[in-house]
Amino acid sequence: HVVPPGTEGEFLRRFSLGELPMVGPKLTARLAQLAIRTVDDARAHGEAGLVGLLGARTGAWLWARVHGVDPSPVHAREAAKSVSREDTFAHDLHDDAAIERELLRLVGRVAADLRGDGLRARTITVKVRDADFTTRQAARTLDAPVESDRAIAEAARPLLRRLRAARRVPVRLLGIACSGFGEARHAAPDPATQLALFGDPPPAARPPAAPEPTVVETDRDRRLARTLDAIRGRFGRDAIGPA
């Protein structure tokens, strides 16, 4: 609904005072006791009359409100600081393999959200809520931001295993969040390009002595992920997934 400039006052006449933003239940009840229930009722008293009934501050504020006057600055919405997906299961999950499969499914969804927003993320967080409602999480910040399913899964799996090793109880809820954003800034894949199913492996990880292997996202990972997005966009979210 568009309210052209200069018609705000006329637009407001259709409302009761309780429907106006910031006119709360207590003020609405107080006004009703004074037989002031609509915008027109309030205007009929004039600003001086509202000030006499409600006091200088509230009366002047309400007079401005019923005329569509508000000096408050308008701020754009802040950009999201994280992208996340989580699911509560119909039945608690006991089996590690089943839990990891659910994690991979969530990874695919959150990675697609990232790419849809043109973002890459450095920090990966896995959340687990146990059957007794204990909520735990583990996070890792990568050396470089990622966007592909493979790279996010490679970072998330060890986090899930760490949480499971610390407390082996059935899982009620599983979630994954990506934060620490950087813009992706890349072109969509050429639809005519055929990607090989098996290519060169990503660069070698850190030496085994390192506590966590390096997660390296290749250009092939990104192109493959965007090809999967195109397939799912055409045939549905469940059209293709990890083996």
Side-chain angles (χ1 to χ4, degrees):
H1 189 88
V2 177
V3 182
T7 67
E8 297 89 351
E10 185 64 27
F11 169 73
L12 288 171
R13 294 186 65 187
R14 69 189 69 189
F15 296 108
S16 66
L17 292 174
E19 294 175 309
L20 300 185
M22 302 178 68
V23 179
K26 290 184 178 180
L27 179 56
T28 300
R30 182 181 174 189
L31 291 167
Q33 291 176 347
L34 300 169
I36 304 174
R37 295 180 173 85
T38 68
V39 168
D40 279 347
D41 290 341
R43 290 181 181 179
H45 284 272
E47 183 174 5
L50 291 177
V51 167
L53 291 170
L54 304 172
R57 182 176 180 181
T58 302
W61 176 86
L62 183 61
W63 178 253
R65 179 66 52 177
V66 297
H67 286 80
V69 177
D70 188 348
S72 303
V74 177
H75 299 286
R77 291 182 179 179
E78 293 185 2
K81 296 182 180 180
S82 67
V83 174
S84 63
R85 289 281 188 168
E86 63 180 41
D87 269 344
T88 300
F89 307 120
H91 304 284
D92 297 342
L93 299 184
H94 302 252
D95 181 64
D96 286 342
I99 297 169
E100 191 161 308
R101 280 196 298 271
E102 292 297 327
L103 177 68
L104 290 178
R105 184 176 59 82
L106 291 172
V107 164
R109 293 170 63 186
V110 80
D113 291 342
L114 270 183
R115 294 188 295 270
D117 291 337
L119 299 171
R120 293 177 184 166
R122 287 187 65 214
T123 301
I124 311 299
T125 304
V126 173
K127 180 172 78 170
V128 169
R129 180 166 298 149
D130 298 328
D132 61 359
F133 292 95
T134 299
T135 301
R136 302 174 293 128
Q137 63 183 34
R140 179 182 177 188
T141 298
L142 306 176
D143 294 333
V146 297
E147 64 173 70
S148 68
D149 302 36
R150 186 200 64 78
I152 295 173
E154 191 173 323
R157 275 197 192 99
L159 298 175
L160 175 62
R161 292 169 183 170
R162 186 193 309 170
L163 291 169
R164 292 289 292 158
R167 195 167 190 261
R168 298 200 59 79
V169 294
V171 171
R172 176 178 298 270
L173 174 146
L174 188 63
I176 181 167
C178 299
S179 57
F181 295 141
E183 292 187 6
R185 299 187 184 281
H186 47 62
D190 181 352
T193 300
Q194 175 66 47
L195 299 179
L197 286 176
F198 303 98
D200 294 334
R206 289 176 180 167
E212 292 179 319
T214 300
V215 175
V216 178
E217 183 176 78
T218 67
D219 182 61
R220 180 180 182 278
D221 290 327
R222 292 186 285 271
R223 290 188 294 120
L224 178 59
R226 290 194 165 265
T227 300
L228 295 178
D229 288 342
I231 293 172
R232 290 167 180 152
R234 182 174 180 183
F235 298 106
R237 191 177 67 188
D238 299 324
I240 189 168

